[in-house]
Amino acid sequence: MSDLVELGNAVGTAQKVGNLVGVFAFGVSGALLAVRRNFDVVGIAVLAVCTATGGGILRDLIIGETPPTAFVHVSYAATALLAAALIFFWHPPHRVTRTPLLMADGVGLGIFCVTGTVSAFQHGLPATSAAALGVVTAVGGGVVRDVLAGITPSVLSDGELYAVPALLGSAATAVLLHHGQYTYWTGGLAGAGAVVLRFLALWRHWRAPLARPHRRRDPA
Amino acid sequence: MSDLVELGNAVGTAQKVGNLVGVFAFGVSGALLAVRRNFDVVGIAVLAVCTATGGGILRDLIIGETPPTAFVHVSYAATALLAAALIFFWHPPHRVTRTPLLMADGVGLGIFCVTGTVSAFQHGLPATSAAALGVVTAVGGGVVRDVLAGITPSVLSDGELYAVPALLGSAATAVLLHHGQYTYWTGGLAGAGAVVLRFLALWRHWRAPLARPHRRRDPA
Amino acid sequence: MSDLVELGNAVGTAQKVGNLVGVFAFGVSGALLAVRRNFDVVGIAVLAVCTATGGGILRDLIIGETPPTAFVHVSYAATALLAAALIFFWHPPHRVTRTPLLMADGVGLGIFCVTGTVSAFQHGLPATSAAALGVVTAVGGGVVRDVLAGITPSVLSDGELYAVPALLGSAATAVLLHHGQYTYWTGGLAGAGAVVLRFLALWRHWRAPLARPHRRRDPA
């Protein structure tokens, strides 16, 4: 029994560490985009922080948890600023950063979709809405990043399977919560499933389908 | 008397049906824009939902009604996703969809400007602010749609009379509420007035004026 | 003693006047950008109001002060609409408006970073977060303006020292609050310091550094 408790605590710690890994990865992705868009040092710092905390802030505003967690615990912004500082001084070429960044981002995606769903459910939202907010938590930061950087949000347009793993992880978490079966273990499994699915999608180049294209484009 | 009550209930039902008609129309407009921008299936679904629920979510966040109605009642998102699925599989040419879409969108505009104003007033906002939030409810979804799709919000720039009918409908509703004269009937009249004005503007090509143009453009 | 109280009241009045000066300046900057982007009269009004009130609304949503101050006190929106009307009928060339606009905007920046920090601190946020929200208050309106107008937010990308003075003013205010030394006087000093720093940056062309550029651009 006490072995299980210890293991449970270890999983809780793993979740906190994973959370910061995700924040760091999202921060790096924001800072890298800012550098590519020729933003100044302020833009790099702001884009790193907004990417890393944007999803969670959106979720907290929607469930009425004010001030949002990211404004109460300084560790989030500090981790994102660390990522920004690293990228400001050392922004290695795309071919070096691509794989580790995708992996860290995938881990963040898996963790955020679970923790986001749990937060929302604990605030009394129905399971369906909680799952939707898990997706908002996981992909919202990237949307904020892209809107601030003036590009079309990649999650909406680039055809990669990015929101779908988050949706499945969130849905699994919501089902667990709804049936009272959510524990660190089952929640961890849901998150790991999302991460594995994301990695499989990257590895096997799975694509989200596009609608059959128009023959003639209408003016937007 | 009981005839009037029955009629009142019928109006209430009409309002609910109209609400979903508006949500559906806004969902279609989001999905169509996503298809035109070559978004993938995730982008189409997200843009449909955000367009249909964005205005109401913004209003609810501002008046402190958390979680927003659109996260509590699944019917909103489900209706918008239905619109997205329809457009994903069948996106007919612009000349076929244009008129029914404009009509449904106009009905949604008229209903949302009234219901948005009422929500805000019931939360204790002064009548002027309630009217402003009615406009936010009616046009906010379209602004969210255009920002996410990476185009300039059409309500700000295309010169069509779109926000003005919403403003007049909201203002009329706020005046009714302020003087204690708001009923299903008078509110329905305010909304119908906004719809009629919107249709007249489309039919007669009424335009919102632009400022006298600069002779020489300053760099933005 | 009563002289000091009178002087304190005078400072309080100066703050209110300064607040409206800032709102007016931000409103003008929004309206001018809308005119340059060829927006119609609705776009000019909306952009003026969103620029003038956007930072404060963001702050209020984050600290859970709903409805936001800008929706309770009509004077904010009215001042911004006055700015919009002025620019709609009379939008003088850039060379005439540039200097007074920069000065008014700088005064607004200094006042908003202080008042934003104070609001957040009074809502129980830790001093660090309160300072962050001071910056959000001061620069948020400009970010909303640029996103709605479809341009890259100037505070992130143009290399001007704009957020840095706001950050220093907010940080100074947060330190004062944390140590119980905040008064109209010391707060006024913090704000004046931000304004002076902003003016110095404009006058001496101080720039925020960019990251060392990539040799080869990666696709965004």
Side-chain angles (χ1 to χ4, degrees):
Chain A
M1 191 63 196
S2 101
D3 279 6
L4 262 183
V5 170
E6 261 175 42
L7 199 47
N9 286 342
V11 172
T13 307
Q15 192 182 326
K16 270 176 213 156
V17 171
N19 230 330
L20 290 187
V21 167
V23 165
F24 188 82
F26 284 167
V28 166
S29 88
L32 279 175
L33 181 58
V35 168
R36 278 179 208 149
R37 301 278 295 169
N38 258 333
F39 283 10
D40 58 41
V41 64
V42 171
I44 295 169
V46 168
L47 215 57
V49 172
C50 289
T51 308
T53 64
I57 290 174
L58 276 177
R59 177 204 59 215
D60 288 348
L61 291 181
I62 287 170
I63 62 179
E65 169 84 7
T66 53
T69 318
F71 278 91
V72 179
H73 298 297
V74 174
S75 59
Y76 289 81
T79 305
L81 286 174
L82 195 71
L86 179 78
I87 295 301
F88 180 73
F89 289 111
W90 177 71
H91 37 278
H94 191 53
R95 63 176 190 284
V96 175
T97 51
R98 192 177 175 279
T99 306
L101 187 55
L102 281 174
M103 295 191 69
D105 181 277
V107 171
L109 188 77
I111 288 170
F112 287 168
C113 73
V114 175
T115 56
T117 306
V118 172
S119 286
F121 191 82
Q122 286 172 341
H123 268 74
L125 270 83
T128 326
S129 306
L133 278 168
V135 178
V136 167
T137 310
V139 311
V143 171
V144 171
R145 173 197 66 206
D146 293 346
V147 167
L148 287 180
I151 67 173
T152 309
S154 62
V155 68
L156 303 181
S157 59
D158 70 0
E160 278 202 17
L161 277 197
Y162 189 84
V164 172
L167 178 59
L168 293 178
S170 296
T173 306
V175 168
L176 290 169
L177 289 162
H178 187 69
H179 292 289
Q181 302 294 320
Y182 179 85
T183 64
Y184 274 144
W185 296 104
T186 55
L189 256 171
V195 174
V196 167
L197 185 58
R198 169 72 182 137
F199 287 173
L200 276 174
L202 282 169
W203 180 42
R204 309 294 296 173
H205 297 287
W206 288 337
R207 313 283 299 171
L210 294 149
R212 189 168 42 86
H214 281 277
R215 262 161 306 174
R216 187 177 53 77
R217 290 289 187 85
D218 299 311
Chain B
M1 192 63 195
S2 100
D3 279 3
L4 262 183
V5 169
E6 260 174 43
L7 199 47
N9 286 343
V11 172
T13 307
Q15 191 181 329
K16 271 176 212 156
V17 170
N19 230 330
L20 290 187
V21 167
V23 165
F24 188 83
F26 284 168
V28 167
S29 89
L32 279 175
L33 180 58
V35 169
R36 278 179 208 149
R37 301 278 295 166
N38 257 332
F39 283 9
D40 58 39
V41 63
V42 171
I44 296 169
V46 169
L47 215 57
V49 173
C50 289
T51 307
T53 63
I57 291 175
L58 276 177
R59 176 205 60 214
D60 287 348
L61 291 181
I62 287 170
I63 61 179
E65 168 84 7
T66 55
T69 317
F71 278 91
V72 179
H73 298 297
V74 174
S75 59
Y76 290 82
T79 305
L81 287 174
L82 194 72
L86 179 77
I87 295 301
F88 180 73
F89 290 111
W90 177 71
H91 37 278
H94 191 52
R95 66 175 187 284
V96 174
T97 52
R98 192 176 175 278
T99 305
L101 187 55
L102 282 174
M103 294 191 69
D105 181 277
V107 170
L109 188 78
I111 288 170
F112 288 169
C113 74
V114 174
T115 56
T117 306
V118 172
S119 286
F121 191 83
Q122 284 171 341
H123 268 73
L125 269 83
T128 326
S129 306
L133 279 168
V135 179
V136 167
T137 309
V139 309
V143 171
V144 170
R145 173 196 67 205
D146 293 346
V147 167
L148 287 180
I151 67 172
T152 308
S154 63
V155 66
L156 303 179
S157 59
D158 70 0
E160 276 201 20
L161 276 198
Y162 189 84
V164 172
L167 179 59
L168 293 178
S170 297
T173 308
V175 168
L176 290 169
L177 290 162
H178 187 68
H179 292 289
Q181 301 295 320
Y182 179 85
T183 63
Y184 274 142
W185 296 104
T186 54
L189 255 173
V195 174
V196 167
L197 185 57
R198 171 70 183 136
F199 287 172
L200 276 176
L202 281 169
W203 179 43
R204 308 296 294 175
H205 298 287
W206 289 337
R207 315 281 301 170
L210 295 148
R212 190 168 40 87
H214 281 277
R215 259 160 308 173
R216 188 178 52 76
R217 291 286 186 88
D218 299 311
Chain C
M1 193 61 197
S2 101
D3 279 6
L4 262 183
V5 169
E6 260 174 42
L7 200 45
N9 286 342
V11 172
T13 306
Q15 191 181 325
K16 270 175 213 158
V17 171
N19 230 330
L20 289 187
V21 168
V23 165
F24 188 82
F26 284 168
V28 167
S29 89
L32 278 175
L33 181 57
V35 169
R36 279 179 208 150
R37 302 277 295 166
N38 256 334
F39 283 9
D40 57 40
V41 64
V42 170
I44 296 170
V46 169
L47 215 59
V49 173
C50 289
T51 308
T53 63
I57 290 175
L58 276 177
R59 177 205 60 214
D60 287 347
L61 291 181
I62 287 170
I63 61 179
E65 169 84 7
T66 53
T69 317
F71 278 90
V72 179
H73 297 297
V74 174
S75 59
Y76 289 82
T79 306
L81 286 174
L82 194 71
L86 179 77
I87 296 301
F88 180 74
F89 289 111
W90 176 72
H91 38 279
H94 191 53
R95 64 175 189 283
V96 174
T97 52
R98 192 177 175 279
T99 305
L101 187 56
L102 282 173
M103 295 192 69
D105 180 277
V107 170
L109 189 77
I111 288 169
F112 287 168
C113 74
V114 174
T115 55
T117 306
V118 172
S119 285
F121 191 83
Q122 284 171 342
H123 268 73
L125 271 84
T128 325
S129 307
L133 278 169
V135 178
V136 167
T137 310
V139 310
V143 171
V144 170
R145 174 195 66 206
D146 293 347
V147 166
L148 286 181
I151 67 173
T152 309
S154 63
V155 67
L156 303 180
S157 60
D158 71 357
E160 276 202 21
L161 278 195
Y162 189 82
V164 172
L167 179 59
L168 293 178
S170 296
T173 307
V175 168
L176 290 169
L177 289 162
H178 187 68
H179 292 289
Q181 301 295 319
Y182 179 85
T183 63
Y184 275 143
W185 297 104
T186 56
L189 256 172
V195 174
V196 167
L197 185 57
R198 170 69 183 139
F199 287 172
L200 276 175
L202 281 170
W203 179 42
R204 309 294 294 173
H205 297 288
W206 288 337
R207 312 283 299 171
L210 295 148
R212 189 169 41 88
H214 281 278
R215 262 161 307 173
R216 187 177 52 76
R217 290 288 185 89
D218 299 310

PDB file of all heavy atoms in Angstrom, chain C residues 102 156 183 213:
ATOM      1  N   LEU C 102       2.278  61.172 -29.689  1.00  0.00           N
ATOM      2  CA  LEU C 102       3.274  60.408 -28.934  1.00  0.00           C
ATOM      3  C   LEU C 102       3.337  60.884 -27.494  1.00  0.00           C
ATOM      4  O   LEU C 102       3.510  60.082 -26.569  1.00  0.00           O
ATOM      5  CB  LEU C 102       4.659  60.541 -29.583  1.00  0.00           C
ATOM      6  CG  LEU C 102       4.886  59.683 -30.827  1.00  0.00           C
ATOM      7  CD1 LEU C 102       6.229  60.034 -31.466  1.00  0.00           C
ATOM      8  CD2 LEU C 102       4.850  58.207 -30.459  1.00  0.00           C
ATOM      9  N   LEU C 156       5.511  44.477 -29.957  1.00  0.00           N
ATOM     10  CA  LEU C 156       6.330  43.262 -30.004  1.00  0.00           C
ATOM     11  C   LEU C 156       7.454  43.356 -31.015  1.00  0.00           C
ATOM     12  O   LEU C 156       8.460  42.657 -30.905  1.00  0.00           O
ATOM     13  CB  LEU C 156       5.459  42.052 -30.383  1.00  0.00           C
ATOM     14  CG  LEU C 156       4.259  41.758 -29.507  1.00  0.00           C
ATOM     15  CD1 LEU C 156       3.512  40.551 -30.027  1.00  0.00           C
ATOM     16  CD2 LEU C 156       4.705  41.503 -28.069  1.00  0.00           C
ATOM     17  N   THR C 183       1.847  55.915  -2.136  1.00  0.00           N
ATOM     18  CA  THR C 183       0.931  57.028  -1.926  1.00  0.00           C
ATOM     19  C   THR C 183       0.693  57.659  -3.292  1.00  0.00           C
ATOM     20  O   THR C 183       1.333  57.284  -4.281  1.00  0.00           O
ATOM     21  CB  THR C 183       1.533  58.098  -1.002  1.00  0.00           C
ATOM     22  OG1 THR C 183       2.691  58.649  -1.650  1.00  0.00           O
ATOM     23  CG2 THR C 183       1.925  57.516   0.349  1.00  0.00           C
ATOM     24  N   PRO C 213      20.301  37.834 -36.092  1.00  0.00           N
ATOM     25  CA  PRO C 213      19.439  37.250 -37.125  1.00  0.00           C
ATOM     26  C   PRO C 213      19.923  35.884 -37.599  1.00  0.00           C
ATOM     27  O   PRO C 213      21.106  35.575 -37.536  1.00  0.00           O
ATOM     28  CB  PRO C 213      19.524  38.267 -38.262  1.00  0.00           C
ATOM     29  CG  PRO C 213      20.819  38.973 -38.044  1.00  0.00           C
ATOM     30  CD  PRO C 213      21.054  38.993 -36.573  1.00  0.00           C
TER      31      PRO C 213
END
